[in-house]
Amino acid sequence: MDKHVIEAYERGWMYFSLLMILVFLVFIGYTLSGYAFYVPDAARRIDPTTVRTGGFPQPHVEEVAPGKYQAYVIGQAFTWLPSEMRFKVGDEVTFFVTSPDVQHGFYIHGTNINVQVIPGEVAKVKTTFKRPGEYLVICNEYCGIGHQNMIGRIVVEE
Amino acid sequence: MATLAQKDAYADFPVKKVSLYFITLGFIALSIGTLFGPFQALNYANINLYPWLQKILPFVKSYYQGLTLHGVLNAIVFTQLFAQGALLYLQAKEMKMLPQMGVAWAAWWLAFVGLVMAAIPLLMDDATVLYTFYPPLKGHPLFYIGAALIIVSSLLSVYLAAELWYRWKKQNPDKPTPLVSYMSVVTWMMWGVAAIGLVVEAVVLLIPWSLGLLKGVDPLLARTLFWWTGHPIVYFWLLPAYVVWYGILPKRTGGKLISDPLARLVFLAFLIFSSPVGFHHQFADPGIDPFWKLVHTVLTMMVAVPSLVTAFTVAASLELGAREAGGRGVFGWIKKLNWKDPIVLASTLGAISFIAGGAGGIVNASFTLDYVVHNTTWIPGHFHLPVATAVTLTHMGLAAVLIPHLTGKPLVGLGYFRAGVVLWFTGMMLMAIGMHTMGLQGVPRRAWIANMAPNLEGIYASSAIWMVLNGVAGTILLIAATLIFYSLFATLLQGKRLSPEERPEIEFTEAISGPEGRRSVMVMDRLFFWWATALVIVLVVYMPTLIRIWSTFVSAPGFRLW
């Protein structure tokens, strides 16, 4: 094959690659604008040694407005506190999650809620539960010998 | 067939010996690390063989310790040592000049001492922190010091490559750098920028902390410094394989590169775009501004372009050779590739796996998509394609020719080697299918799921089919590894040597459009300028975040939880 023909193909492929990447970036921008509350944010920094002694609220769920909840969650080796949370379909929940020991991963199975729990950070992430059922809260960052057993539950009722 | 005395074997070109030492040490590390791989694959098939393994190797305490050894030895040690050996030799051979041999040996000894130091706590279960060693999990100080020495060794290799290039350039001021040397030097310069994060993390935070000189470390700061290095390290693994794909592979199957300047442009793009991308590993992290996450997303997407170009160019170069050899049809030419050659077989299969690996990488880098796959088995499923398949197979293929070339010892068991390569490719592809799918179903990575508490057993049962695939893949990979390592180590350990005329030669690819007389090539040849540019860009995208975190330093005490 003539070398100019191949070089033309090569250039064409290069432009195609750039265009493809550009299209992907547009999609990313679109999903960011539409689903941005899945993007974990930092509520504040925190001294991890104070998490259990008043620097962070006791683990609990509170209703701040009708259908709107705030959940204060501690991930520690090797449990989630609270270990079970209950909501109703359509509830909007803001989670505040931190760790007093090592890193954990706050992953609500089957959803986009997937947050790194880092000592020193209070992670904030918001979601609305649309499907009823039982969701596992799986720790997906290695935290020690019992890491695989660090699993909590969220029950969403009709 | 003549038998040469040991000391004569390297006398013509002493860099051969130091390269061989790097490569051999790398393969020793890889063979130990690989041993744990099948146990991990079987863990994800819900088969816990660790109690049994402990009877044979009493020092192995847990899946997590095996996983740490697997990650550190394979991903960090092997890849670096192979690059240090192979790139140094290829550059020296092409430039027909010796690197500073004293520095080269110092680099080898540093890596060796560092490896031994890090291996002791790893084997004693005193540093079961995985190869990301995120604080506040706290390993034994020897682990961090040993790892730091290995990194220092790699920085000596950066110096060696740059110094040799600079000396050559002084002697040949008007000539463009030869292509393979250009690619090697750019790879090392890229690593020089990339390694800064890890060096700072180890020297300023982890080592003083593990020795008790610092009460606590800031986990987010450490993570951010880690990923400064942690993503471009992937290109540090990958680019030596690219050197083979561009610089050696086409030649061995009768092909030519289409364009030499384009290959340079690809490497230059990696120098610029490899490092300012680390936040795409931290999309799930609180405490990093979404704006900077988006900047890193855009730059990560840019770094996909040189890989896409490589896919086209390398495939086209192979096709050219195969058609010249009489290949016909849209895909029929593939049969005419020189599949008997270990480099062609291993690199081509590796490159094929990289197509899927690259596509998955774009998914991971896509900010919002990442939340679906972050820290699920999708991630190890992904990186076993570029690293454990594309890079490792390419290095194995090169070693099958390079070891005989360096030592004069003929390759033992070519048939076993080739069978091993095909099985390795097959096993990795099956494992990747299994792990990607399990990841989409939400199975977490790095979890000892074959050893769950009784009340949790069966929670991943809906992924059972894909778990079986992992078990099958792990078994295939064990056979593949046995065949390949047998061939390579039997080659090294035999006494037989070929006469100089019989030794396999390593020749470099020629290009249809060469570099001569191109202004663009001379601009691209101003490597110190591009190196500085790369450094400035990485500082711009990192400093605002690093300064902000550092100025509110959180002191987290360490934990040993394994």
Side-chain angles (χ1 to χ4, degrees):
Chain A
M1 195 183 276
D2 182 36
K3 94 173 193 191
H4 297 289
V5 177
I6 308 175
E7 282 185 337
Y9 279 146
E10 197 170 53
R11 263 199 307 282
W13 172 255
M14 224 155 73
Y15 294 136
F16 171 77
S17 301
L18 279 166
L19 186 72
M20 184 167 75
I21 292 304
L22 209 66
V23 170
F24 290 164
L25 284 171
V26 169
F27 282 143
I28 292 168
Y30 173 73
T31 53
L32 264 181
S33 62
Y35 302 88
F37 49 83
Y38 289 123
V39 175
D41 206 350
R44 62 190 166 101
R45 304 209 85 189
I46 185 171
D47 179 348
T49 58
T50 66
V51 167
R52 289 199 193 94
T53 54
F56 187 74
Q58 284 292 315
H60 73 287
V61 178
E62 67 182 56
E63 189 167 16
V64 288
K68 292 197 184 213
Y69 291 83
Q70 290 190 342
Y72 293 87
V73 180
I74 291 179
Q76 61 180 31
F78 303 104
T79 48
W80 293 107
L81 299 172
S83 60
E84 189 178 303
M85 291 176 269
R86 293 184 164 266
F87 302 104
K88 291 218 157 43
V89 170
D91 284 351
E92 186 194 278
V93 187
T94 307
F95 294 95
F96 295 90
V97 195
T98 195
S99 160
D101 46 42
V102 297
Q103 295 188 29
H104 302 280
F106 182 77
Y107 169 55
I108 304 179
H109 191 233
T111 72
N112 284 2
I113 302 298
N114 197 341
V115 187
Q116 199 74 25
V117 182
I118 305 173
E121 304 294 321
V122 177
K124 178 186 164 191
V125 67
K126 195 158 76 171
T127 193
T128 301
F129 288 100
K130 294 188 181 118
R131 280 177 291 121
E134 188 182 286
Y135 295 77
L136 297 174
V137 180
I138 300 175
C139 174
N140 66 7
E141 183 58 76
Y142 168 65
C143 55
I145 196 72
H147 160 57
Q148 71 276 7
N149 296 326
M150 184 167 165
I151 290 173
R153 278 187 167 75
I154 291 175
V155 180
V156 178
E157 290 156 337
E158 288 282 5
Chain B
M1 192 172 293
T3 305
L4 292 176
Q6 177 80 27
K7 69 176 167 59
D8 299 332
Y10 313 103
D12 58 328
F13 202 37
V15 66
K16 282 183 171 179
K17 188 170 178 179
V18 73
S19 291
L20 181 71
Y21 269 59
F22 272 119
I23 290 166
T24 306
L25 189 59
F27 273 108
I28 291 170
L30 182 68
S31 59
I32 299 168
T34 301
L35 186 72
F36 292 94
F39 292 92
Q40 277 130 231
L42 288 166
N43 168 62
Y44 273 103
N46 203 20
I47 300 168
N48 185 17
L49 284 186
Y50 283 86
W52 175 80
L53 184 62
Q54 207 170 8
K55 285 184 190 144
I56 308 166
L57 304 172
F59 58 86
V60 179
K61 302 292 185 217
S62 72
Y63 160 82
Y64 298 112
Q65 188 192 0
L67 184 59
T68 307
L69 280 160
H70 182 75
V72 171
L73 292 175
N74 293 0
I76 297 177
V77 177
F78 164 69
T79 47
Q80 176 187 318
L81 286 169
F82 192 87
Q84 286 181 289
L87 292 188
L88 182 70
Y89 178 70
L90 294 177
Q91 186 188 351
K93 178 179 163 63
E94 190 182 41
M95 292 189 150
K96 299 189 178 65
M97 285 166 68
L98 279 180
Q100 293 183 346
M101 290 304 293
V103 180
W105 280 109
W108 187 85
W109 278 103
L110 266 177
F112 178 71
V113 172
L115 179 55
V116 172
M117 280 175 84
I120 294 167
L122 285 173
L123 294 171
M124 304 282 285
D125 198 29
D126 281 330
T128 299
V129 290
L130 305 189
Y131 83 128
T132 41
F133 43 86
Y134 295 139
L137 281 174
K138 191 177 190 176
H140 193 281
L142 271 186
F143 170 71
Y144 301 111
I145 297 169
L149 289 183
I150 295 173
I151 307 293
V152 172
S153 164
S154 78
L155 296 180
L156 288 185
S157 286
V158 175
Y159 166 78
L160 280 169
E163 189 278 334
L164 182 59
W165 172 75
Y166 187 72
R167 214 161 4 110
W168 184 91
K169 203 69 188 164
K170 283 270 162 219
Q171 295 177 15
N172 303 276
D174 302 322
K175 283 194 205 161
T177 309
L179 183 61
V180 168
S181 301
Y182 186 86
M183 296 190 286
S184 301
V185 177
V186 168
T187 302
W188 283 115
M189 287 183 164
M190 185 281 291
W191 177 242
V193 175
I196 297 169
L198 198 51
V199 169
V200 174
E201 187 198 6
V203 173
V204 179
L205 298 177
L206 298 181
I207 293 177
W209 174 62
S210 68
L211 290 170
L213 303 172
L214 256 183
K215 269 177 67 187
V217 288
D218 188 315
L220 180 63
L221 180 62
R223 265 179 81 81
T224 308
L225 289 168
F226 180 85
W227 287 115
W228 169 323
T229 304
H231 192 74
I233 203 174
V234 177
Y235 301 115
F236 176 52
W237 301 335
L238 193 61
L239 292 187
Y242 276 25
V243 172
V244 177
W245 297 355
Y246 278 102
I248 296 173
L249 172 64
K251 177 78 182 176
R252 295 188 75 89
T253 193
K256 280 185 175 175
L257 261 189
I258 300 162
S259 162
D260 169 294
L262 187 67
R264 289 166 199 264
L265 187 64
V266 162
F267 271 73
L268 208 53
F270 278 113
L271 175 59
I272 306 285
F273 291 118
S274 286
S275 295
V277 299
F279 289 174
H280 80 252
H281 289 255
Q282 297 181 279
F283 286 141
D285 287 21
I288 292 177
D289 196 295
F291 167 77
W292 287 111
K293 288 179 180 173
L294 193 60
V295 170
H296 282 230
T297 304
V298 174
L299 290 163
T300 312
M301 288 292 169
M302 291 310 297
V303 86
V305 174
S307 279
L308 284 161
V309 172
T310 300
F312 179 95
T313 306
V314 171
S317 307
L318 293 179
E319 185 176 345
L320 277 178
R323 290 207 186 278
E324 209 127 292
R328 281 156 199 273
V330 179
F331 295 109
W333 57 271
I334 293 169
K335 284 182 288 190
K336 289 284 178 186
L337 288 175
N338 184 12
W339 291 106
K340 286 204 168 63
D341 183 328
I343 291 185
V344 175
L345 179 67
S347 318
T348 309
L349 290 179
I352 290 169
S353 77
F354 190 63
I355 297 171
I362 290 176
V363 171
N364 302 342
S366 298
F367 207 154
T368 39
L369 280 181
D370 179 67
Y371 298 111
V372 182
V373 297
H374 176 72
N375 274 353
T376 68
T377 57
W378 169 285
I379 302 298
H382 158 70
F383 67 64
H384 275 80
L385 293 173
V387 183
T389 317
V391 171
T392 308
L393 274 182
T394 301
H395 289 0
M396 285 169 166
L398 181 62
V401 179
L402 193 57
I403 292 173
H405 170 80
L406 294 174
T407 57
K409 297 176 176 183
L411 184 73
V412 175
L414 175 62
Y416 292 133
F417 182 86
R418 292 175 60 217
V421 165
V422 173
L423 286 175
W424 186 283
F425 173 78
T426 312
M428 285 293 179
M429 293 308 260
L430 289 177
M431 195 178 77
I433 293 169
M435 294 193 98
H436 275 92
T437 315
M438 285 160 63
L440 290 177
Q441 296 171 349
V443 178
R445 72 186 281 201
R446 302 174 148 184
W448 197 355
I449 65 164
N451 188 31
M452 302 284 285
N455 63 320
L456 292 170
E457 260 175 44
I459 61 167
Y460 302 120
S462 57
S463 301
I465 296 170
W466 309 105
M467 291 185 172
V468 171
L469 208 54
N470 267 309
V472 172
T475 313
I476 293 174
L477 284 163
L478 182 63
I479 300 167
T482 309
L483 292 169
I484 293 170
F485 289 129
Y486 162 73
S487 174
L488 294 179
F489 285 112
T491 302
L492 279 165
L493 293 172
Q494 71 189 318
K496 192 162 92 180
R497 284 180 202 263
L498 302 167
S499 68
E501 308 80 60
E502 292 171 303
R503 292 183 184 191
E505 190 44 65
I506 289 187
E507 291 169 305
F508 298 127
T509 310
E510 294 147 49
I512 298 174
S513 297
E516 295 81 12
R518 302 258 191 138
R519 228 184 85 78
S520 64
V521 169
M522 296 318 278
V523 172
M524 287 193 281
D525 236 18
R526 293 166 61 185
L527 283 176
F528 286 123
F529 168 78
W530 295 113
W531 200 3
T533 307
L535 182 65
V536 168
I537 293 174
V538 76
L539 288 177
V540 166
V541 302
Y542 265 103
M543 285 330 263
T545 305
L546 283 173
I547 290 170
R548 196 175 48 75
I549 302 174
W550 213 309
S551 61
T552 54
F553 193 91
V554 167
S555 177
F559 289 87
R560 176 181 169 144
L561 296 174
W562 62 89

